[in-house]
């Protein structure tokens, strides 16, 4: 697969051209996990700014996923028998995986952002192994996903999941643990080696100490014990005093606003626009600087930065379309959303199993640095796995209801699907919708057209027969759409968004 150099020279000025289907699909693929043909077509001719504002406002106003019945369970709530307790825990975790996967499908920008933050403020369920902690961690991500980043940093550090994952629960004043202090600077706010020293880490760990009271029952929420907090004087980022947890957050944002803004806005840029933010052939640094200025000017509110980016000419530039490699979740969920094929919780459970096989297990990234994204998704083993699993999913959809393939084709071809007997005219809009920028050249289109024509006698495409082919009426037309989707799923362009 060709490596895409970031040649985007467009600016943050508003994009004012009415959206076409390609631009609208691009917006939904980046702001969420894509959308149905009907949703995307409703966006066609709309003003990008108006649509983006509506999507952001919806995301900001959206309540978090409802709490499950076990949201505040500790170990005393589980069966005394260990095997039974493990079965209950597994069932709860599967329930929450399904709940959250449905949220990714249904909630566009809100849970696209909560998913993004789960790979920034990383925890791993297999480390802390408490389903109640997982629920409250996801709740924190959802509530803060488009809110104030300073508040977000403060809250996430005190979630039980994070306190256990990065050893905050072992951070005693008389024996400081530096894990969370290090990642607070290196991974969460500043970037490795950017604006802090080893001494800052040591002193910050002392200031964060005291959240160590774990209770007598396993999976009990962590509490603060003042007697386990370091009460001595500490110097953090040049500021000296008897600092505690809140002081660390305040000092960090007061003393390093520019570093925080640049670091976070670069991550947002690489996630939403282009994975290469440092190539000097484009305009990426100028865009990131503009986003960072907006971030600081709005007191670290996330929504204004996203609004500025998603409304911009830079975001809608042709050089920004089809240049990010889909994660496993993008690949599967985009297919579900774009085709509108009927799926069940069993489908989503199967998808969660496939993503795990492809290196993206929900709630369990590789390590504290998270999934590395983009080109890491398409090594030799993963690309074959992507082909085989998406083909299996499409086959299951076809076996369950083959007529939904015809309906998908008709939703893209309009009147042509009802009247045209030219299969190439029918196949092209399907190809151009499924692939972010279509195929490379006409020779590649011809190969896809051949896959779509199947083995139907050419005379039926010529008209004038008792039986003339159309997508709407031909008995085996659903199978043709199925064959086309199977063919496209193996093309390099299918791996892109």
């Amino acid at each position: 697969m060709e490596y895409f150099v970031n040649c985007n020279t467009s600016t943050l000025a508003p994009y004012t051209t009415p959206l076409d289907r390609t631009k609208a699909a691009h917006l939904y693929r980046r702001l969420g996990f894509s959308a149905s043909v009907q949703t995307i077509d409703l966006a066609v001719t709309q003003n990008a700014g108006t649509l983006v504002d509506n999507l952001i406002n919806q995301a900001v106003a959206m309540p978090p996923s409802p709490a499950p019945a076990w949201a505040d369970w500790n170990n005393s709530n589980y069966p005394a028998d260990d095997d039974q307790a493990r079965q209950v825990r597994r069932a709860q975790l599967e329930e929450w995986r399904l709940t959250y996967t449905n949220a990714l499908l249904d909630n566009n920008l809100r849970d696209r952002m909560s998913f993004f933050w789960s790979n920034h403020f990383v925890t791993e369920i297999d480390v802390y192994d408490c389903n109640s902690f997982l629920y409250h961690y996801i709740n924190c991500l959802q509530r803060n996903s488009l809110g104030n980043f300073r508040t977000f940093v403060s809250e996430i550090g005190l979630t039980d999941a994070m306190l256990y994952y990065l050893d905050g629960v072992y951070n005693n004043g008389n024996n400081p643990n530096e894990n969370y202090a290090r990642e607070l600077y290196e991974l969460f706010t500043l970037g490795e080696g950017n604006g802090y020293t080893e001494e800052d880490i040591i002193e910050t760990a002392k200031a964060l100490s005291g959240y160590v009271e774990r209770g007598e029952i396993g999976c009990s929420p962590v509490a603060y014990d003042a007697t386990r907090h370091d009460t001595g004087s500490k110097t953090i980022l040049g500021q000296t005093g008897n600092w505690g947890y809140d002081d660390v957050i305040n000092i960090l944002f007061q003393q390093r606003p520019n570093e925080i803004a640049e670091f976070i806005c670069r991550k947002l840029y690489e996630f939403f626009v282009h994975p290469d933010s440092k190539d000097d052939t484009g305009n990426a640094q100028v865009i990131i600087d503009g986003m960072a200025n907006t971030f600081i000017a709005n007191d670290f509110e996330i929504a204004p930065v996203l609004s500025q980016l998603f409304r911009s000419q830079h975001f809608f530039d042709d050089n920004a379309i089809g240049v990010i490699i889909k994660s496993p979740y993008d690949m599967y969920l985009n297919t579900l959303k774009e085709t509108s094929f009927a799926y069940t919780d069993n489908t989503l459970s199967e998808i969660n199993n496939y993503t795990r096989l492809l290196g993206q297990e929900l709630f369990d990234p590789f390590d504290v640095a998270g999934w590395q994204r983009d080109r890491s998704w398409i090594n030799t083993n993963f690309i074959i796995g992507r082909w085989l699993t998406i083909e299996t999913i499409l086959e299951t959809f076809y076996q369950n209801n083959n007529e939904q393939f015809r309906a998908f084709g008709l939703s893209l071809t309009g009147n042509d699907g009802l009247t045209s007997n030219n299969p190439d005219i029918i196949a092209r809009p399907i190809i151009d919708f499924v692939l972010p920028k279509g195929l490379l050249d006409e020779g590649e289109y011809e190969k896809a057209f051949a896959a779509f024509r199947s083995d139907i006698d050419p005379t039926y495409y010529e008209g004038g027969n008792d039986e003339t082919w159309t997508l709407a009426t031909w008995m085996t037309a659903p199978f043709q759409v199925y064959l086309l989707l199977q063919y496209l799923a193996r093309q390099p362009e299918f791996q892109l968004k």
Side-chain angles (χ1 to χ4, degrees):
M1 187 176 296
E2 179 184 356
Y3 173 70
F4 291 95
V5 175
N6 190 358
C7 300
N8 189 341
T9 58
S10 294
T11 71
L12 282 171
Y15 181 81
T16 57
T17 305
L19 296 173
D20 60 18
R21 185 183 272 172
T22 298
K23 294 286 200 277
H26 168 65
L27 178 68
Y28 277 99
R29 284 187 182 119
R30 297 289 175 86
L31 266 70
F33 289 89
S34 200
S36 67
V37 177
Q38 292 74 20
T39 297
I40 290 170
D41 280 351
L42 283 173
V44 172
T45 75
Q46 284 198 47
N47 173 269
T50 302
L51 179 57
V52 165
D53 283 349
N54 287 339
L55 291 171
I56 289 177
N57 290 338
Q58 290 171 15
V60 169
M62 191 171 291
S65 296
W70 43 264
D72 294 311
W73 279 24
N74 60 32
N75 285 357
S76 69
N77 298 105
Y78 290 92
D81 181 83
D82 288 345
D83 287 339
Q84 292 179 8
R86 279 192 291 271
Q87 291 176 11
V88 172
R89 290 178 189 276
R90 282 196 296 268
Q92 291 173 347
L93 185 56
E94 174 62 13
E95 173 196 341
W96 191 240
R97 282 198 174 106
L98 288 173
T99 296
Y100 190 63
T101 306
N102 273 301
L104 297 179
L105 279 164
D106 295 341
N107 295 338
N108 287 322
L109 179 59
R110 203 283 300 280
D111 281 306
R112 168 62 88 180
M113 285 303 298
S114 73
F115 197 62
F116 166 82
W117 292 119
S118 76
N119 203 41
H120 178 79
F121 296 115
V122 171
T123 66
E124 300 173 56
I125 179 65
D126 67 345
V127 172
Y128 57 85
D129 195 28
C130 287
N131 293 339
S132 57
F133 293 179
L134 173 63
Y135 160 72
H136 287 286
Y137 165 74
I138 294 296
N139 177 270
C140 183
L141 297 181
Q142 290 181 327
R143 286 187 294 100
N144 291 285
S145 62
L146 285 94
N148 185 275
F149 186 65
R150 182 195 292 106
T151 301
F152 201 173
V153 172
S154 178
E155 286 194 19
I156 199 73
L158 294 181
T159 59
D160 298 300
M162 188 65 76
L163 284 166
Y164 270 89
Y165 181 59
L166 289 180
D167 299 328
V169 293
Y170 306 111
N171 186 11
N172 292 291
N174 60 354
N175 186 22
N177 185 295
E178 298 169 12
N179 281 4
Y180 185 75
R182 182 176 303 280
E183 306 308 356
L184 172 64
Y185 296 144
E186 181 175 318
L187 292 178
F188 298 165
T189 59
L190 297 174
E192 186 175 0
N194 184 34
Y196 64 93
T197 66
E198 285 296 314
E199 191 62 27
D200 287 322
I201 291 171
I202 294 168
E203 296 288 276
T204 298
K206 295 176 183 177
L208 298 177
S209 62
Y211 291 89
V212 295
E213 187 57 54
R214 300 184 289 282
E216 297 179 3
I217 300 172
C219 288
S220 295
V222 179
Y224 178 72
D225 183 346
T227 67
R228 313 292 286 279
H229 173 71
D230 185 307
T231 57
S233 180
K234 311 159 192 82
T235 299
I236 299 171
L237 304 180
Q239 308 302 300
T240 302
N242 177 17
W243 308 129
Y245 186 94
D246 292 340
D247 300 311
V248 169
I249 305 303
N250 291 334
I251 290 168
L252 173 59
F253 279 81
Q254 288 166 4
Q255 297 301 314
R256 299 291 186 269
N258 295 329
E259 290 85 350
I260 294 170
E262 207 273 347
F263 179 64
I264 297 302
C265 289
R266 185 175 299 279
K267 289 199 74 167
L268 290 169
Y269 181 93
E270 291 178 349
F271 186 79
F272 284 110
V273 182
H274 199 291
D276 181 4
S277 65
K278 297 181 179 179
D279 192 285
D280 60 6
T281 61
N283 204 27
Q285 188 59 55
V286 174
I287 302 303
I288 292 166
D289 289 345
M291 294 165 62
N293 290 338
T294 299
F295 204 21
I296 294 170
N298 284 275
D299 194 29
F300 294 99
E301 291 290 332
I302 299 163
V305 177
L306 297 180
S307 177
Q308 179 186 36
L309 179 64
F310 296 149
R311 295 159 59 104
S312 71
Q313 294 174 19
H314 193 87
F315 179 79
F316 285 104
D317 191 285
D318 285 344
N319 287 299
I321 300 175
V323 295
I324 295 178
I325 296 169
K326 294 174 181 174
S327 72
Y329 272 101
D330 278 294
M331 182 179 68
Y332 299 125
L333 300 189
N334 283 14
T335 299
L336 263 59
K337 296 274 287 203
E338 291 167 9
T339 61
S340 295
F341 292 161
Y343 62 88
T344 65
D345 279 350
N346 286 337
T347 312
L348 300 187
S349 291
E350 187 176 54
I351 284 172
N352 285 332
N353 286 332
Y354 288 157
T355 62
R356 176 178 54 80
L357 294 174
L358 296 177
Q360 193 175 33
E361 183 171 3
L362 195 60
F363 309 139
D364 206 6
F366 293 127
D367 56 30
V368 69
W371 303 303
Q372 294 309 297
R373 303 180 56 241
D374 213 52
R375 295 180 70 81
S376 66
W377 295 132
I378 53 168
N379 64 38
T380 303
N381 290 332
F382 284 171
I383 194 66
I384 294 171
R386 288 162 82 102
W387 291 342
L388 295 177
T389 54
I390 198 68
E391 287 170 1
T392 298
I393 289 171
L394 290 171
E395 181 181 7
T396 300
F397 283 137
Y398 186 79
Q399 291 173 345
N400 288 344
N401 177 10
N402 62 27
E403 278 297 321
Q404 59 187 335
F405 285 76
R406 189 198 308 271
F408 172 61
L410 289 172
S411 71
L412 290 165
T413 55
N415 192 56
D416 283 340
L418 302 174
T419 61
S420 176
N421 61 332
N422 185 334
D424 299 356
I425 288 176
I426 300 305
R428 187 177 289 270
I430 299 173
I431 297 167
D432 289 344
F433 180 76
V434 171
L435 308 180
K437 295 176 80 170
L439 287 162
L440 182 63
D441 54 38
E442 284 304 311
E444 294 301 316
Y445 275 96
E446 285 299 324
K447 295 176 187 176
F449 294 160
F452 180 67
R453 294 186 204 115
S454 186
D455 57 355
I456 295 173
D457 192 308
T459 59
Y460 292 112
Y461 295 131
E462 295 167 2
N465 300 310
D466 291 339
E467 293 182 278
T468 298
W469 183 93
T470 68
L471 178 64
T473 61
W474 196 258
M475 183 176 67
T476 59
F479 185 63
Q480 292 178 260
V481 177
Y482 166 71
L483 289 177
L484 178 60
L485 293 180
Q486 292 278 31
Y487 176 83
L488 295 177
R490 285 202 171 221
Q491 303 314 300
E493 294 87 346
F494 184 80
Q495 308 304 324
L496 301 170
K497 64 171 183 172

